[in-house]
Amino acid sequence: MPTLICDCNQTMPLQPQALGAALDQTLTLHSALCRREAGAFQKAIQSGQDVVVACTQEKRLFAEVAGQTERASSVVRFVNIRETGGWSRDAGEAMPKIAALLAAAHLPDAEPVSTVTYKSTGRLLIVGPLDQAEQIAALVADALEVTIFAQGVAMAPQSGFPLQERQYPVISGDELKLKGWLGAFEARWLKSNPIDLDLCTRCNACVAVCPEGAIDLSYQIDSDKCTSHRDCVAVCKVAGAIDFSRAPQQVTEAFDLVLDLGSQPLITLHAPPQGYFALDASLGLASPGLLPTVVKLRDMVGEFEKPKFFNYKQKLCAHSRNETVGCSACMDICSASAISSEKSRQQIVVNPNLCVGCGACTTACPTGALTYAYPRASEQGVRLKTLLSTYTKAGGTHAVVLLHSQASGVQALEALGRAARLQKGVRGVPANVIPLGLWHTASVGLDLWLSALAFGAAQVVVLTTDEEAPAYRDGLAEQMRVAQAVLNGLGYAGVHFHLVHSAAVTDLDASLQAVARARPIVPPGAARFAVVQEKRGTLDMALDHLITHAPAVLPEAIELPATGSPFGSLLVNTDTCTLCLSCVSACPASALQDNPERPQLKFIEKNCVQCGLCASTCPEDAITLQPRLLLTPQRKDARILNESQPYRCMRCSKPFGTLKAIESMLGKLAGHAMFQGDAADRLKMCGDCRVVDIYSAQNEIRITDIP
């Protein structure tokens, strides 16, 4: 696969021979690949092989050249080596990192997945002050079918009076609620305005005559101001648009797009549905973000697709058993409210239309029931392995993997690189910090972080920006505490995981420089396992490698944080546990098991995901979670948490329960009228003997004896 590198105006100290050796290629350093040396690019894309171009600045120009080149059949991939490495104070030492970035760019694209489809015909609902809504409607009315839900009149100097001419349908009411997504929004409101806007001719007579000023130019009546003079009714006799006796009516209408200009947004989610936009339009056309939003709205007509970002395996889900909720980590962290509970079916439900693909649910899921589908964890593992192995092959040491989003994260790193190039008091991205772009930083968690350490990274940094919801940052920090506790418990001293928030360029630079200088203890050799799609499988392989190469004598167990741990044990109060075994049927991970031969509660710690379903289900509250990582071989073995003597039937001696359970039942039913005298002995019998005793007792009334 040809690799084309370009250093315009020789702004980077590139070493093509060193880079070529790491990539097993002979590289030529270009200085004007997109212009006078474009012939080299054209020749490469005529080869039929995939081509990597180390330039993102001129992607558009390269695309135009490719379109004008005969017999051009190659897939072209672009990689940024300038802002991420070449424009840095220590760029001369960045060849191993640049080689790693080039090697990763050679990897194939992620395998395609099923898609989610949206269909929009352009029905736009604008909610807010009538004058502001009409001003924006004028910008989109030629492309969209506009309806305005009037919420008073702002009368701002920027918008002026509302239009007298009825150019757009205007509706109004109270208790407006909105749900849905692009192409399928449902607005529901209470039509309670005494003025029927369909009959209103906007003659303004009611506004002029109202003594309280209770009617504004959106032709809605403020009930708090109105004192029932009814002068407005008198002047509106011809049109008959005002009727205070009209009963409120519930109205529902469908829309494809929603622009919310209200003072209180109808949807306050950090990740609102596709097709919903909320902004402050108080400054008219000068309002921040207004014009970009208008452009987006105009383009949102037609059919659109996005990847289905998640896969769900119900049998692995620890959310619910027997309508008892255990784990709700995915629902708690989702910023789009795309996940709901179906306790009756022992599962969660993810709405693919609301899902924004952040992947936070897959990171928080302790069992791997939810996995990130695009790209898959296995594909991310290959990318990590390629980056780190190439970096090491090229002579790099103390690698730091920097995970960032492909949107705001890229912008933050590019700003840092440009500032370093212009000598604005920053050093730029350090030579040993290797950026890895993600669709969303919350989509990668504990399993891939530990795998990165096993593959040769010294540290993992997650760069967050304001695009991440606060719950995401909290969830990432929670998982980092668990990962760090595991490594420190194994004897790997130092801090290996960092959560960095991008604010000012100088702050980001200082954070990355501090991380780059750190030298935490890491395994001496790189692991060779392949990341698999199953989260627990990847975790086990990464842990096995880290445990094998641990630099200190291993403790019996590592205590982990109380929240967020996917590993742990259970403490069972044997004084209160009756071995009813309801916890066994509730456990989704087969960590709790029974013994068909005798009353025993057994536990395999390796399988436990600390979901808490067993503790929630236990009728005696006898189970307590104990987050930890057991390091002895017993972690994989079944051990007995509680056992009891069997209770034998007083007639046939067959065991049918535990001694403690039957004694507890006898104590609870001792005063019950149904179990007095000889009838009390039936509680001490197995099911078969109990039936025989009932039918053989002489003092029992049988249903067949009733006339």
Side-chain angles (χ1 to χ4, degrees), residues 85-274:
W87 282 358
S88 172
R89 297 285 183 88
D90 54 357
E93 304 170 7
M95 292 311 106
K97 172 176 60 176
I98 292 175
L101 295 174
L102 292 172
H106 284 79
L107 295 174
D109 294 333
E111 288 291 323
V113 295
S114 58
T115 58
V116 180
T117 302
Y118 299 91
K119 294 182 180 180
S120 168
T121 60
R123 298 169 299 173
L124 170 65
L125 175 66
I126 303 179
V127 180
L130 181 59
D131 46 343
Q132 295 175 358
E134 288 179 335
Q135 189 178 32
I136 297 173
L139 302 177
V140 298
D142 61 319
L144 303 173
E145 179 185 334
V146 178
T147 299
I148 297 174
F149 190 98
Q151 293 181 329
V153 179
M155 293 297 290
Q158 296 83 2
S159 55
F161 284 97
L163 298 175
Q164 187 67 29
E165 179 185 354
R166 193 195 303 271
Q167 293 186 357
Y168 319 103
V170 178
I171 55 180
S172 66
D174 297 316
E175 302 177 14
L176 176 62
K177 293 181 174 58
L178 184 71
K179 64 179 182 179
W181 50 85
L182 173 63
F185 283 106
E186 179 184 278
R188 182 185 296 268
W189 69 94
L190 192 64
K191 188 176 180 181
S192 54
N193 184 15
I195 301 179
D196 187 332
L197 296 182
D198 291 330
L199 297 177
C200 177
T201 61
R202 301 190 181 186
C203 68
N204 295 319
C206 58
V207 178
V209 76
C210 180
E212 300 93 0
I215 306 176
D216 62 20
L217 290 178
S218 67
Y219 308 106
Q220 299 178 71
I221 298 178
D222 187 338
S223 58
D224 293 332
K225 294 180 179 179
C226 179
T227 56
S228 303
H229 284 85
R230 302 296 187 260
D231 292 348
C232 55
V233 178
V235 299
C236 193
K237 283 185 177 180
V238 176
I242 305 178
D243 184 359
F244 283 88
S245 64
R246 186 185 301 113
Q249 179 184 1
Q250 193 76 46
V251 182
T252 301
E253 195 166 339
F255 298 94
D256 298 310
L257 302 159
V258 178
L259 175 59
D260 190 349
L261 310 177
S263 57
Q264 296 295 327
L266 297 171
I267 298 177
T268 57
L269 298 172
H270 182 86
Q274 298 280 342

Side-chain angles (χ1 to χ4, degrees), residues 183-387:
F185 283 106
E186 179 184 278
R188 182 185 296 268
W189 69 94
L190 192 64
K191 188 176 180 181
S192 54
N193 184 15
I195 301 179
D196 187 332
L197 296 182
D198 291 330
L199 297 177
C200 177
T201 61
R202 301 190 181 186
C203 68
N204 295 319
C206 58
V207 178
V209 76
C210 180
E212 300 93 0
I215 306 176
D216 62 20
L217 290 178
S218 67
Y219 308 106
Q220 299 178 71
I221 298 178
D222 187 338
S223 58
D224 293 332
K225 294 180 179 179
C226 179
T227 56
S228 303
H229 284 85
R230 302 296 187 260
D231 292 348
C232 55
V233 178
V235 299
C236 193
K237 283 185 177 180
V238 176
I242 305 178
D243 184 359
F244 283 88
S245 64
R246 186 185 301 113
Q249 179 184 1
Q250 193 76 46
V251 182
T252 301
E253 195 166 339
F255 298 94
D256 298 310
L257 302 159
V258 178
L259 175 59
D260 190 349
L261 310 177
S263 57
Q264 296 295 327
L266 297 171
I267 298 177
T268 57
L269 298 172
H270 182 86
Q274 298 280 342
Y276 173 84
F277 303 89
L279 55 85
D280 178 6
S282 59
L283 297 180
L285 298 182
S287 299
L290 175 60
L291 293 181
T293 300
V294 167
V295 173
K296 289 180 183 178
L297 287 169
R298 293 178 61 88
D299 288 340
M300 299 186 78
V301 179
E303 188 168 312
F304 307 91
E305 288 185 345
K306 71 174 182 182
K308 181 175 174 286
F309 287 101
F310 63 92
N311 287 321
Y312 176 60
K313 293 183 179 179
Q314 191 270 340
K315 66 179 181 180
L316 297 179
C317 185
H319 171 60
S320 172
R321 288 293 185 276
N322 302 322
E323 298 195 16
T324 298
V325 173
C327 175
S328 59
C330 58
M331 290 187 292
D332 295 340
I333 203 170
C334 181
S335 68
S337 289
I339 308 176
S340 57
S341 170
E342 272 197 4
K343 291 191 298 182
S344 60
R345 299 182 63 186
Q346 302 183 164
Q347 66 180 17
I348 53 99
V349 176
V350 185
N351 187 324
N353 295 99
L354 293 177
C355 173
V356 295
C358 67
C361 56
T362 66
T363 297
C365 178
T367 66
L370 276 170
T371 55
Y372 204 64
Y374 188 76
R376 298 172 176 85
S378 55
E379 293 167 330
Q380 293 285 35
V382 170
R383 192 165 295 275
L384 268 174
K385 212 171 189 179
T386 301
L387 282 169

Side-chain angles (χ1 to χ4, degrees), residues 1-5 25 33 40-54 62 73-79 102 105-106:
M1 180 185 296
T3 302
L4 303 176
I5 56 175
Q25 295 184 29
L33 185 64
F41 171 71
Q42 291 178 301
K43 182 178 179 180
I45 62 177
Q46 289 172 332
S47 67
Q49 302 180 52
D50 290 359
V51 175
V52 171
V53 177
F62 280 117
S73 57
S74 297
V75 174
V76 182
R77 298 189 179 92
F78 299 91
V79 58
L102 292 172
H106 284 79

